[in-house]
């Protein structure tokens, strides 16, 4: 904080604001990076004005800076830039989404809906899942009906949030052989995170799934159900099937 205050007094911020309007792209890029590093609200108006810059790196860097230090009213503008450039600059778009999620999670809601561009929607779903944003659990649940690349992070988030109302949808996805293996395995793991004993029989059946990731997730999820799940695992060990018994035995280990 003292260093930033010193840089402000020495005029670094004002200099960067001036250079943000330079004709040369390289100069504007360095200015945007400087203002992003200083992260001072004093530069927010200039940073907001640069969201329409013709250079992708300038405008996405400014969007990230605005998401970190701008007013709450400025967050939709930063997200609009992230959504527009997510396909070309996914890393920078993710930084914007993450900054907004930390400050105002509900602002991400439009990015999780079906009409959002696919690139930014994937980023928003992943961020909401990783941060366990419970206020967005309904939108994460709606993603289960979308492409598997969205469903997999969405079910991971629902498990981490502990959204018990999603148990039925997760069970349907886990059992659907028409879905991808990563999505089914994630749904199976999420059922274990929820600890729903009503899914014991389903998980026991998934122990015999032909896909190893699904079988492994089912074994671990059964172990998370306590004694009802442990009973299913012991039955699988006693049956001695070469595909299921080793996983069940390993899951029973403390």
């Amino acid at each position: 904080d003292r260093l930033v205050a010193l840089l402000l007094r020495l005029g670094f911020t004002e200099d960067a604001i001036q250079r943000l309007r330079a004709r040369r792209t390289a100069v504007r890029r360095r200015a945007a990076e400087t203002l992003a590093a200083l992260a001072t609200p004093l530069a927010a108006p200039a940073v907001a004005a640069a969201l329409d810059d013709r250079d992708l790196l300038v405008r996405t860097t400014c969007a990230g800076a605005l998401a970190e230090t701008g007013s709450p009213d400025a967050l939709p503008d930063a997200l609009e830039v992230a959504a527009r450039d997510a396909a070309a600059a996914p890393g920078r778009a993710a930084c914007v989404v993450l900054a907004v999620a930390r400050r105002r999670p509900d602002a991400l809601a439009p990015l999780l809906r079906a009409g959002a561009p696919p690139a930014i929607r994937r980023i928003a779903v992943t961020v909401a899942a990783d941060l366990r944003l419970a206020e967005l659990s309904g939108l994460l649940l709606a993603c289960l009906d979308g492409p598997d690349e969205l469903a997999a992070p969405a079910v991971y988030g629902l498990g981490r949030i502990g959204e018990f109302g999603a148990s039925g949808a997760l069970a349907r996805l886990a059992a659907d052989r028409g879905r991808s293996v990563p999505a089914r395995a994630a749904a199976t793991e999420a059922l274990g995170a929820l600890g729903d004993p009503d899914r014991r029989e389903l998980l026991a059946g998934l122990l015999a799934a032909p896909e190893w990731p699904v079988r492994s997730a089912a074994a671990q999820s059964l172990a998370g159900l306590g004694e009802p799940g442990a009973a299913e695992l012991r039955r699988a060990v006693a049956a001695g099937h070469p595909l299921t018994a080793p996983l069940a035995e390993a899951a029973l280990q403390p």
Side-chain angles (χ1 to χ4, degrees):
D1 290 342
R2 288 197 301 246
L3 176 59
V4 170
L6 176 61
L7 292 172
L8 291 175
R9 288 200 301 272
L10 292 176
F12 276 79
T13 300
E14 185 59 35
D15 179 63
I17 289 174
Q18 294 296 327
R19 288 187 289 115
L20 197 57
R21 296 189 289 268
R23 296 184 62 182
R24 292 179 56 197
T25 300
V27 174
R28 298 200 310 280
R29 287 180 179 179
R30 287 195 294 270
E33 293 287 357
T34 297
L35 293 174
L38 291 174
T40 171
L42 297 176
V47 167
L51 294 182
D52 291 327
D53 195 278
R54 63 182 179 274
D55 182 70
L56 179 147
L57 295 181
V58 172
R59 62 178 179 261
T60 53
T61 300
C62 288
L66 192 64
E68 291 281 0
T69 61
S71 68
D73 293 340
L75 298 184
D77 293 334
L79 287 176
E80 182 178 350
V81 172
R84 182 175 61 189
D85 294 320
R92 290 177 180 267
C95 289
V96 176
V97 173
L98 184 59
V100 172
R102 287 196 294 254
R103 296 185 60 195
R104 191 180 147 196
D106 63 292
L108 297 187
L111 302 186
L112 272 72
R113 296 195 174 101
I120 196 65
R121 194 181 183 200
R122 287 194 298 270
I123 292 171
V125 169
T126 301
V127 169
D130 284 343
L131 297 186
R132 294 186 289 185
L133 301 181
E135 56 267 68
L136 299 177
S137 61
L139 291 170
L140 289 176
L141 181 58
C143 290
L144 301 194
D145 294 327
D148 287 339
E149 62 185 5
L150 284 179
V155 298
Y156 170 73
L158 291 167
R160 284 171 56 83
I161 291 169
E163 183 56 59
F164 202 79
S167 179
L170 292 173
R172 288 190 294 274
L173 196 159
D176 188 349
R177 295 288 180 86
R179 306 299 292 267
S180 70
V181 171
R184 292 180 59 215
T188 303
E189 184 177 345
L191 287 171
L194 294 181
D196 185 355
D198 291 341
R199 307 303 168 188
R200 181 187 64 201
E201 292 184 6
L202 170 66
L203 293 172
L206 291 175
L207 272 176
E211 305 89 358
W212 184 88
V214 177
R215 294 199 305 271
S216 177
Q220 295 303 317
S221 292
L222 283 169
L225 296 184
E227 179 53 33
E232 296 291 349
L233 291 171
R234 287 193 294 269
R235 276 193 282 272
V237 172
H241 192 284
L243 291 180
T244 61
L247 284 173
E249 186 173 7
L252 285 169
Q253 301 303 314

